[in-house]
Amino acid sequence: VVFSAIVVAMTFFSKSINAQMEGKINYVETIKLDIQIEGMDESMMDLIPKSQDLNKQLLFNQNESLYSNMKGEVLEDTEMESDDGSFKILILRDDAEEILYHSFIDNKKVHQKGIMGKSFVVEESIKKMKWKMTNEKIKYLGYECTKAVIENEDDFIVAWFTSELPLQIGPSGYHGLPGAILMVNVNEGELEIKATKVNLETLDKKAINQPNDGKKVTAEEFEKIRKEREKELEESYQGGRH
């Protein structure tokens, strides 16, 4: 009877901790920019940035998470031109704010993202990620982290998660491990995401909201629109060169 009482008490205590766990995790996303243009001289190539850093924040509680740009993060267009005017490069930043919301109770995600300044909202079910656990462990930001990987024909993804934060949350849509993901590396550096700070604190009740600023479309519709806009931009650019 005593043993049963202890087990029940421990189970209740564990659930109580999880129910109260909420806060913020700050991340830095580093995106590798591999821009190659035939005929461009070395001096011009040196001007092209090799990567781009974005400061992001994950707000979370037991039931939801919200991943977005850090407050005050502003992305600017980059324009470069060679001395003789033979090459001109314009790197455009989309004005539409990107926000990714997860509801673990409803098993859905809502992604607000933009195409050439126009905002769209895509809602779909959360898909299970096929992680393979390893025995590798490291200490990061004071937390013991375990390595997990996904390897398929398209991607090789490495994630480090900590079971000391026992919620299946993570940055940029990475999720499904028995603890918060603090680091992600995709295809040996194409994309690298690292947590810089973890704050366990009580959030404002309105801090985590489902994004709704944009036209609601399906994932398939969004992909079709994206390809059409890219084709239009390419044709416009080619037309301007004649």
Side-chain angles (χ1 to χ4, degrees), residues 2 12 17 22 43 108 142 146 188 192:
V2 175
F12 173 79
I17 290 176
E22 58 183 310
S43 60
K108 74 173 181 179
T146 303
E188 299 183 339
E192 190 172 48

Side-chain angles (χ1 to χ4, degrees), residues 5 15-16 31-32 62 65 73-74 77 88 92 100 104 106 134-135 137 139 141 150 173-174 198 227 229:
K15 288 182 178 179
S16 177
I31 303 169
K32 189 176 180 181
Q62 179 69 14
S65 71
E73 181 81 347
V74 178
D77 295 342
K88 187 175 183 179
L92 300 174
L100 181 58
F104 303 110
D106 299 326
T134 76
N135 294 321
K137 295 184 184 295
K139 201 85 169 178
L141 294 182
I150 292 177
Y174 295 101
V198 178
K227 288 180 179 178
R229 295 291 187 274

Side-chain angles (χ1 to χ4, degrees), residues 114-196:
I115 301 175
M116 297 182 189
K118 188 172 182 180
S119 188
F120 296 87
V121 176
V122 180
E123 182 176 322
E124 56 188 322
S125 298
I126 297 175
K127 295 180 176 65
K128 186 177 180 181
M129 302 190 76
K130 297 179 180 179
W131 295 104
K132 181 181 178 182
M133 307 290 286
T134 76
N135 294 321
E136 292 185 54
K137 295 184 184 295
I138 60 169
K139 201 85 169 178
Y140 186 69
L141 294 182
Y143 293 94
E144 184 178 89
C145 296
T146 303
K147 181 180 177 181
V149 300
I150 292 177
E151 188 170 8
N152 54 44
E153 292 180 359
D154 301 316
D155 296 305
F156 179 63
I157 304 168
V158 176
W160 294 90
F161 71 95
T162 176
S163 55
E164 293 174 38
L165 302 172
L167 298 175
Q168 296 187 25
I169 57 174
S172 194
Y174 295 101
H175 65 277
L177 287 165
I181 298 172
L182 299 185
M183 289 191 287
V184 176
N185 190 303
V186 180
N187 297 333
E188 299 183 339
E190 281 184 11
L191 170 65
E192 190 172 48
I193 310 174
K194 289 185 174 182
T196 57

Side-chain angles (χ1 to χ4, degrees), residues 40-75:
M40 182 179 291
D41 60 55
E42 251 184 72
S43 60
M44 189 63 181
M45 287 294 293
D46 290 340
L47 296 176
I48 301 174
K50 301 298 185 287
S51 64
Q52 177 190 50
D53 287 345
L54 300 174
N55 294 305
K56 299 277 190 170
Q57 187 172 72
L58 180 71
L59 306 181
F60 65 90
N61 58 35
Q62 179 69 14
N63 303 319
E64 305 168 291
S65 71
L66 189 74
Y67 189 68
S68 61
N69 287 347
M70 288 278 287
K71 190 175 181 181
E73 181 81 347
V74 178
L75 301 178

